Amino acid sequence: MSEQFQVKADPELWAKLDMDVERFSNIPPMLTGVFNDVFLSQENRPQGMGYFDNMVSNIFTGRIQEMYDAREEGRPVVGTFCVYVPEEIIHAAGGVCVGLCGGSQGSIGDAEKILPRNICPMVKSAFGFKVGRICPFFQVVDFVYGETTCDAKKKTWELLDEYVPTHVMEIPQMKRERDKKLWVEEVKDFKTAIEQQTGKDVTETELKQAIETMNAKRKAMQRLNDLRHHDPSPISGRDMLLIQQIAFYDIPERFTEKVNELCDELEARIKTENYVAPKGTTRLMVSGTPMALPNWKLHNIIEKSGAVIVNEESCIGTRYYKDTISTDGTNMEQMLEKLTERYMQIDCSCFTPNDDRIDQVIKEYRESGAQGIIDYCLQFCHTYNIEAVKLRQACEKEGIPFLAIESDYSPEDVGQLQTRIEAFIEQIQD
Ligand code: SF4
Ligand code: SF4
């Protein structure tokens, strides 16, 4: 599909969503060019990537139309910014959950007209998308659900509320029993807010079904990640990152089916020794802050420098799917408790202490057969940046090659990052 690939446009639909159509019309051709360079220039990609390429082709059209139709049917379309917001409840209410974290430099200028410059680019990018009316996902949602994970986010929600109805969940910063109780109460309030939007209560059967649907999605992602750990790798890190990003805006059931189909193909490729990177290619793991669409910068640099990425310890990575929800709950109260237990296992650096994350990174390093870790921190993300100190210490103790990188979405540091990454790869090869 490489020659015909095109990110499609639908100005009529965008106008209905009150977008800045003229300005946004420049985006699909730009994204087409970048996608060709980062993804379609790769050789021997699995056939199953065709579906995910198509999802990118329809990112501003077909998928938005599906969400628009859902909204017209009275189903809530809810934007979120954190994997702590329980999407099972939105799904149980017949709604659509879409991740709105921003991964583009293009909207940062809009945000910086209002927000301070020295905050995380993910927050600025998302805010800028809404302020500039240049993101169809932001325009199609009924409301957004923010959280109190980090200072940049929680204070931005106060401003975002002027542009789109913004609710906020309080996510605890510790994991003691009293914090878990607070979190259960927050999840219950979240359920009530979604029910108020739809005008009907979520039933136990609906919640059970939604938990099973999301468990199946997470299990499919676990299966895919296990397969990519094979040495040599049957799929590139860039393609894996793309799939993990699409997980935040596709229909869960359809996505799960396509991921499982891809897994079947990868199993067959492993049997026939059909790989994307030859034996001996340096295998790296990335840990740290999430990479929202279309942030492909680091993966592109690493893999174009000759290494292959074999794991992402990230919220757009294993933190999103490593745990499933126990289905032992038989009534609403128990189901919500089991659900919150699973969510409290997400080891975001916003928690303290957070030593479980350090252990988890080392565990994933071993399981993935990586030869080094690149810890990726978005500029001005204090919690991940400080936690990198502990991670470095743990890696030094274990003899694991470690490189910490702090970056944003601008292309300015690409050359410098490339030099550091090439030196890191050489160090591992030596
Ligand atoms: S890194 Fe933390 S704040 Fe960001 S999505 Fe993950 S859990 Fe949420
Ligand atoms: S990367 Fe860090 S600063 Fe940015 S939104 Fe996530 S937790 Fe906040």
Side-chain angles (χ1 to χ4, degrees):
M1 86 176 277
S2 57
E3 248 131 59
Q4 303 88 21
F5 178 84
Q6 202 181 5
V7 177
K8 293 182 196 148
D10 189 343
E12 241 175 76
L13 176 64
W14 301 340
K16 278 198 271 183
L17 294 171
D18 188 30
M19 294 184 64
D20 183 337
V21 176
E22 198 186 331
R23 187 168 160 208
F24 189 68
S25 298
N26 297 321
I27 304 295
M30 209 184 292
L31 191 60
T32 301
V34 176
F35 195 80
N36 268 301
D37 173 53
V38 177
F39 293 95
L40 302 182
S41 60
Q42 299 176 95
E43 282 173 16
N44 196 23
R45 295 174 79 214
Q47 291 274 323
M49 284 311 297
Y51 171 77
F52 301 99
D53 293 347
N54 252 318
M55 281 301 295
V56 177
S57 178
N58 289 301
I59 186 168
F60 303 136
T61 53
R63 184 61 190 124
I64 299 297
Q65 184 69 54
E66 287 174 339
M67 291 183 183
Y68 184 84
D69 294 344
R71 205 176 73 175
E72 294 289 290
E73 289 162 19
R75 298 163 55 202
V77 181
V78 186
T80 63
F81 304 89
C82 176
V83 296
Y84 254 90
V85 179
E87 55 188 329
E88 287 81 1
I89 292 174
I90 301 170
H91 205 62
V96 178
C97 179
V98 55
L100 290 179
C101 285
S104 164
Q105 179 71 8
S107 53
I108 300 251
D110 296 78
E112 286 181 348
K113 285 182 194 150
I114 299 166
L115 291 175
R117 297 189 70 189
N118 56 349
I119 61 170
C120 162
M122 189 139 66
V123 175
K124 281 192 290 190
S125 173
F127 186 72
F129 274 134
K130 184 62 209 172
V131 172
R133 295 184 292 119
I134 47 171
C135 171
F137 289 100
F138 240 120
Q139 297 303 111
V140 81
V141 296
D142 289 298
F143 55 89
V144 303
Y145 242 97
E147 18 56 47
T148 56
T149 43
C150 71
D151 291 351
K153 279 177 157 186
K154 75 181 171 212
K155 296 307 288 180
T156 299
W157 307 147
E158 294 172 22
L159 304 178
L160 187 65
D161 194 38
E162 290 172 28
Y163 302 86
V164 57
T166 305
H167 304 265
V168 182
M169 297 183 86
E170 181 172 358
I171 294 181
Q173 310 272 294
M174 297 177 84
K175 292 185 177 175
R176 302 161 302 183
E177 277 314 305
R178 74 178 91 152
D179 302 304
K180 290 178 187 166
K181 281 189 193 139
L182 165 83
W183 180 233
V184 175
E185 292 309 311
E186 286 293 311
V187 169
K188 286 180 184 168
D189 285 355
F190 177 73
K191 179 172 156 288
T192 305
I194 301 290
E195 287 170 339
Q196 279 167 353
Q197 176 77 16
T198 58
K200 77 175 202 50
D201 289 353
V202 168
T203 65
E204 287 167 1
T205 313
E206 285 166 340
L207 183 58
K208 185 171 185 289
Q209 178 64 51
I211 288 173
E212 283 168 3
T213 299
M214 299 314 297
N215 277 354
K217 179 180 171 184
R218 296 185 209 283
K219 280 183 190 156
M221 293 302 292
Q222 289 169 8
R223 181 183 170 207
L224 181 60
N225 206 40
D226 285 348
L227 283 165
R228 61 98 67 115
H229 290 165
H230 188 274
D231 185 9
S233 300
I235 185 167
S236 71
R238 275 169 284 180
D239 282 340
M240 279 298 298
L241 176 63
L242 183 68
I243 296 166
Q244 292 169 125
Q245 290 170 329
I246 289 171
F248 287 85
Y249 76 91
D250 197 3
I251 295 172
E253 294 88 343
R254 180 171 70 191
F255 177 84
T256 303
E257 192 187 321
K258 293 299 169 185
V259 169
N260 277 320
E261 277 175 27
L262 178 63
C263 289
D264 295 342
E265 185 188 344
L266 295 193
E267 276 170 4
R269 281 170 79 113
I270 289 169
K271 272 199 198 121
T272 55
E273 301 187 0
N274 183 5
Y275 306 117
V276 294
K279 183 91 187 152
T281 303
T282 305
R283 297 165 65 83
L284 296 177
M285 165 176 157
V286 172
S287 61
T289 48
M291 295 167 177
L293 251 169
N295 179 10
W296 305 313
K297 183 172 159 180
L298 184 67
H299 277 52
N300 194 36
I301 296 173
I302 294 175
E303 295 203 329
K304 284 190 176 161
S305 300
V308 63
I309 300 167
V310 292
N311 200 71
E312 289 85 15
E313 184 277 331
S314 160
C315 284
I316 296 189
T318 55
R319 278 204 293 278
Y320 178 61
Y321 53 77
K322 71 179 170 61
D323 308 305
T324 52
I325 297 173
S326 158
T327 48
D328 291 349
T330 52
N331 56 45
M332 183 60 79
E333 188 73 21
Q334 284 177 3
M335 276 192 258
L336 289 176
E337 266 173 33
K338 299 287 172 198
L339 180 146
T340 50
E341 274 169 22
R342 180 259 161 200
Y343 275 83
M344 283 301 264
Q345 289 175 51
I346 301 170
D347 33 27
C348 174
S349 66
C350 295
F351 285 87
T352 185
N354 198 35
D355 293 335
D356 285 352
R357 175 169 171 249
I358 308 295
D359 297 341
Q360 181 66 26
V361 172
I362 304 292
K363 181 170 171 269
E364 289 183 23
Y365 171 81
R366 302 263 179 245
E367 286 172 355
S368 64
Q371 296 164 284
I373 296 177
I374 297 189
D375 191 60
Y376 172 72
C377 184
L378 282 170
Q379 213 174 30
F380 306 117
C381 175
H382 305 316
T383 55
Y384 277 95
N385 212 355
I386 295 171
E387 202 154 280
V389 176
K390 275 199 164 185
L391 196 49
R392 179 186 291 281
Q393 288 165 351
C395 286
E396 279 170 2
K397 200 167 141 222
E398 299 283 329
I400 299 170
F402 180 84
L403 176 68
I405 275 176
E406 193 183 352
S407 184
D408 60 10
Y409 300 156
S410 85
E412 278 167 27
D413 61 351
V414 167
Q416 188 215 63
L417 288 179
Q418 203 167 342
T419 308
R420 291 180 65 201
I421 287 163
E422 281 168 4
F424 185 58
I425 294 170
E426 266 174 41
Q427 176 203 326
I428 291 170
Q429 286 167 346
D430 287 347

